């Protein structure tokens, strides 16, 4: 344990739940952990690329077109910018806690111990379920993408091959997972860099395919289409695009030298958000008019309408659609791979605190929580199979239940950080004792919290101002995740009788890691 001046303020004996957490996660303490615990097999390059890959997905490659169409170039940049800044502050808050105590549960552990166990229970199970449903979505997407090259092939074949691939990568070892994510993320990063270079060259007139200048920022209602309502309507889409950036914190539980690697990964989040998202949206909005109907038709089924594909084609790249199809496929593989990893580690962490069956705390000789991997795959398969039966109504509602999970988790992280800092002060500790400090605290954490809560509440307002109009079905679909989270939280409180621990009594011990 790390020694701090405030140790004298700790209770003589930690709570039963904290003691269970320490016992359940002890195996993650170092590289030489014995069988029965996680192992620190992820190198710095793995963690850095996992953090990058978590922030880049089909939301960027495919979904940004609809955002530009709905809010205009200025509205899209502002929306993604505000959410991106809030995400950065949330990540620095998470980075402060994960650098102090790098455990596999990350946000689940911190919300459960620094806020209260019931919130950790709700956050953990909501996020795990979201992981399982995300894998089901990626199974469907993989078959759609492969039909671009093999139109007459059976969809089930590609979904099974996809699932088998990510299952093998996750069952072998954490290092196998990290290596695969390193290359998946590398492909995405190279694609975006090439896109930004070509796009900028087209904007300044070095490459044909577009009239040099910023004319698309002044046509029609641009740059802000539908005013503030159009901009606000894109906030949720922007948030969904960033979901996954927090996965790097889960990887800290198996990272070599997390005190050194995690701050580097966290500090680069802001640069990646500004360069990859804001830069890419600005390039697309400059080269493709917001009135272009193709921006609304981009999807895994129509990669040819992806904003990236359109720009590459206008730059003279004849195989643009095939190239982007391949890149989106790597994004789908990466999403399925990383969410299976995160889901299994969350089950492992919750099992250590008694918030999940103890079975999930067992690991293989390679330090892999096999039962957590298999349970996550099993639930994702149920979701996937439901999408193949009937009119897929069950599947639609299964997935709707995950809608607000990212924002709920981010809100929990901000609350945990505020409580963590309150306990740090109450126990007489100095900020200088923290191995990494969140930027602009407390303003940054409060800003992120207000933005996330505002977007959650504003879902209903977004429905009212949308083109499709308000419907009770749409309202229920948008908010269904919130009552589920509240039910999990209340249910745990009623059964276990959990309550927040006073800041002066919170256990702020840290794992003995470098």
């Amino acid at each position: 344990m790390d020694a701090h001046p405030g140790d004298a303020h700790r209770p003589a004996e930690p709570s039963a739940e904290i003691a269970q957490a320490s016992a359940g996660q002890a195996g993650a303490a170092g590289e030489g952990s014995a069988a029965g615990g996680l192992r620190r097999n992820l190198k710095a390059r793995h963690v850095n690329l996992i953090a990058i890959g978590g922030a880049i997905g089909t939301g960027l490659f495919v979904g940004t077109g609809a955002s530009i169409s709905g809010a205009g170039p200025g509205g899209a940049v502002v929306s993604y910018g505000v959410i991106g800044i809030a995400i950065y502050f949330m990540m620095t808050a998470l980075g402060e806690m994960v650098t102090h105590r790098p455990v596999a549960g990350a946000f689940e552990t911190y919300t459960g111990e620094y806020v209260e166990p019931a919130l950790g229970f709700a956050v953990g199970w909501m996020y795990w379920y979201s992981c399982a449903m995300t894998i089901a979505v990626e199974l469907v997407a993989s078959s759609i993408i492969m039909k671009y090259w093999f139109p007459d092939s059976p969809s089930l074949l590609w979904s099974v091959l996809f699932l088998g691939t990510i299952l093998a990568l996750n069952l072998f070892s954490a290092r196998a997972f990290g290596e695969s994510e390193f290359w998946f993320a590398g492909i995405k990063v190279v694609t975006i860099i090439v896109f930004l270079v070509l796009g900028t060259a087209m904007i300044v007139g070095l490459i044909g395919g577009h009239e040099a200048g910023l004319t698309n920022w002044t046509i029609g209602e641009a740059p802000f289409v539908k005013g503030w309502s159009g901009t606000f309507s894109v906030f949720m889409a922007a948030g969904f695009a960033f979901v996954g950036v927090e996965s790097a914190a889960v990887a800290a539980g198996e990272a070599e030298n997390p005190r050194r690697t995690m701050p580097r990964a966290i500090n680069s989040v802001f640069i990646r958000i500004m360069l990859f998202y804001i830069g890419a949206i600005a390039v697309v909005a400059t080269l493709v008019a917001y009135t272009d109907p193709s921006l609304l038709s981009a999807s895994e089924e129509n990669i040819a309408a992806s904003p990236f594909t359109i720009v590459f084609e206008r730059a003279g790249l004849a195989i643009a659609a095939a190239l982007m199809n391949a890149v989106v496929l790597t994004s789908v593989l990466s999403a399925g791979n990383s969410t299976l990893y995160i889901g299994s580690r969350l089950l492992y962490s919750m099992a250590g605190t008694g918030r999940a069956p103890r079975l999930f705390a067992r690991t293989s000789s390679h330090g892999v929580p096999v039962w957590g991997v298999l349970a996550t795959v099993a639930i994702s398969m149920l979701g996937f199979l439901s999408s193949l039966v009937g009119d897929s109504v069950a599947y639609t509602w299964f997935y709707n239940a995950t809608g607000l999970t990212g924002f709920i988790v981010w809100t929990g992280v901000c609350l945990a950080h505020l409580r963590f800092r309150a306990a740090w002060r109450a126990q007489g500790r100095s900020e200088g004792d923290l191995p990494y400090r969140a930027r602009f605290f407390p303003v940054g954490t409060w800003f992120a919290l207000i933005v996330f809560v505002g977007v959650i509440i504003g879902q209903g307002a977004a429905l009212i101002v949308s083109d499709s109009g308000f419907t009770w079905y749409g309202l229920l679909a948008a908010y269904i995740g919130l009552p589920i989270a509240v039910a999990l939280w209340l249910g745990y409180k009623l059964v276990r009788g959990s309550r927040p621990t006073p800041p002066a009594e919170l256990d702020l011990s840290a794992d003995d890691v470098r």
Side-chain angles (χ1 to χ4, degrees):
M1 298 288 186
D2 289 352
H4 291 282
D7 285 348
H9 295 276
R10 289 195 199 132
E13 294 183 7
S15 69
E17 297 216 9
I18 294 176
Q20 286 179 331
S22 300
Q25 297 176 350
E31 174 76 38
S33 301
L38 303 181
R39 300 186 178 185
R40 296 197 178 275
N41 287 332
L42 295 177
K43 298 183 178 296
R45 64 184 179 90
H46 294 146
V47 175
N48 286 330
L49 267 295
I50 288 170
I52 292 175
I56 303 171
T58 55
L60 174 61
F61 293 126
V62 177
T64 50
S67 297
I68 295 171
S69 179
V77 168
V78 169
S79 297
Y80 279 79
V82 170
I83 296 295
I85 292 171
I87 292 291
Y88 171 69
F89 286 135
M90 181 277 297
M91 285 299 292
T92 61
L94 183 57
E96 181 175 288
M97 295 183 287
V98 83
T99 306
H100 171 70
R101 187 184 176 196
V103 292
F107 42 82
E108 180 274 328
T109 298
Y110 308 138
T111 53
E113 295 189 10
Y114 300 148
V115 184
E116 71 156 339
L119 183 60
F121 178 83
V123 164
W125 281 106
M126 281 289 292
Y127 202 91
W128 172 78
Y129 175 75
S130 178
C131 287
M133 287 300 102
T134 296
I135 295 171
V137 170
E138 306 306 344
L139 290 176
V140 176
S142 66
S143 63
I144 293 173
I145 293 170
M146 291 305 296
K147 281 182 174 293
Y148 175 88
W149 292 295
F150 307 98
D152 298 324
S153 60
S155 299
L156 191 60
L157 169 66
W158 301 115
S159 297
V160 170
L161 287 176
F162 169 88
L163 183 62
T165 300
I166 64 171
L167 184 59
L169 290 171
N170 275 270
L171 285 177
F172 187 70
S173 69
R175 181 159 294 176
F177 158 77
E179 199 65 37
S180 61
E181 278 301 288
F182 176 84
W183 291 105
F184 286 150
I187 292 171
K188 293 187 283 188
V189 169
V190 169
T191 301
I192 294 175
I193 292 175
V194 171
F195 172 81
L196 291 174
V197 171
L198 287 177
T200 302
M202 292 172 67
I203 291 171
V204 299
L206 296 178
I207 297 178
H210 172 75
E211 182 181 347
L214 305 175
T215 56
N216 285 335
W217 285 71
T218 58
I219 63 174
E221 297 181 62
F224 294 96
V225 177
K226 300 179 184 177
W228 70 268
S229 62
T231 300
F232 184 79
S233 68
V234 177
F235 275 11
M236 182 60 73
F240 285 142
F242 287 120
V243 171
V245 68
E246 68 286 336
S247 61
V250 176
E254 293 171 271
E256 294 178 353
N257 301 318
R259 295 261 163 83
R260 193 175 353 171
T261 58
M262 292 310 300
R264 293 176 183 173
I266 298 300
N267 284 336
S268 62
V269 166
F270 184 73
I271 297 174
R272 291 196 304 271
I273 289 173
M274 291 300 116
L275 177 63
F276 294 156
Y277 271 91
I278 307 304
I281 290 173
V283 168
V284 170
T286 303
L287 297 176
V288 184
Y290 80 89
T291 54
D292 192 320
S294 62
L295 291 178
L296 286 174
S297 58
S299 67
E300 284 90 351
E301 298 182 51
N302 188 14
I303 298 298
S306 162
F308 280 64
T309 303
I310 295 170
V311 171
F312 279 139
E313 286 178 339
R314 292 181 181 178
L317 192 59
I319 60 169
L323 171 65
M324 282 310 303
N325 204 65
V327 171
V328 172
L329 179 62
T330 63
S331 294
V332 167
L333 285 168
S334 176
N337 194 34
S338 60
T339 50
L340 179 53
Y341 170 85
I342 296 166
S344 63
R345 269 55 180 183
L346 283 177
L347 285 180
Y348 172 86
S349 175
M350 290 190 290
T353 59
R355 294 194 279 267
R358 296 290 297 177
L359 171 70
F360 297 126
R362 298 179 185 176
T363 59
S364 69
S365 59
H366 295 289
V368 175
V370 175
W371 290 108
V373 172
L374 295 177
T376 306
V377 166
I379 298 301
S380 67
M381 281 299 297
L382 287 176
F384 170 68
L385 292 175
S386 71
S387 71
L388 303 179
V389 178
D391 57 4
S392 300
V393 171
Y395 170 74
T396 300
W397 282 103
F398 283 157
Y399 188 69
N400 283 344
T402 72
L404 293 174
T405 299
F407 286 94
I408 292 171
V409 169
W410 297 337
T411 299
V413 168
C414 294
L415 293 174
H417 186 232
L418 293 172
R419 287 270 297 170
F420 173 78
R421 277 300 191 98
W424 199 265
R425 290 192 304 271
Q427 297 181 24
R429 301 188 179 216
S430 169
E431 284 189 10
D433 294 333
L434 289 166
Y436 171 82
R437 278 177 283 179
R439 301 291 176 85
F440 303 107
F441 179 84
V443 174
T445 303
W446 275 108
F447 173 79
L449 180 62
I450 291 170
V451 169
F452 298 147
V453 172
V455 174
I456 291 174
I457 296 174
Q459 273 287 83
L463 285 173
I464 295 174
V465 300
S466 66
D467 292 335
S468 57
F470 174 84
T471 64
W472 288 107
Y473 178 88
L475 183 68
L476 182 59
Y479 280 112
I480 188 63
L482 199 57
I484 293 174
V486 172
L488 289 170
W489 175 67
L490 283 177
Y492 190 92
K493 284 183 71 69
L494 292 174
V495 173
R496 294 288 187 91
S498 72
R499 58 182 178 81
T501 302
E505 299 176 10
L506 282 176
D507 181 18
L508 297 179
S509 59
D511 288 345
D512 186 15
V513 295
R514 293 178 184 147

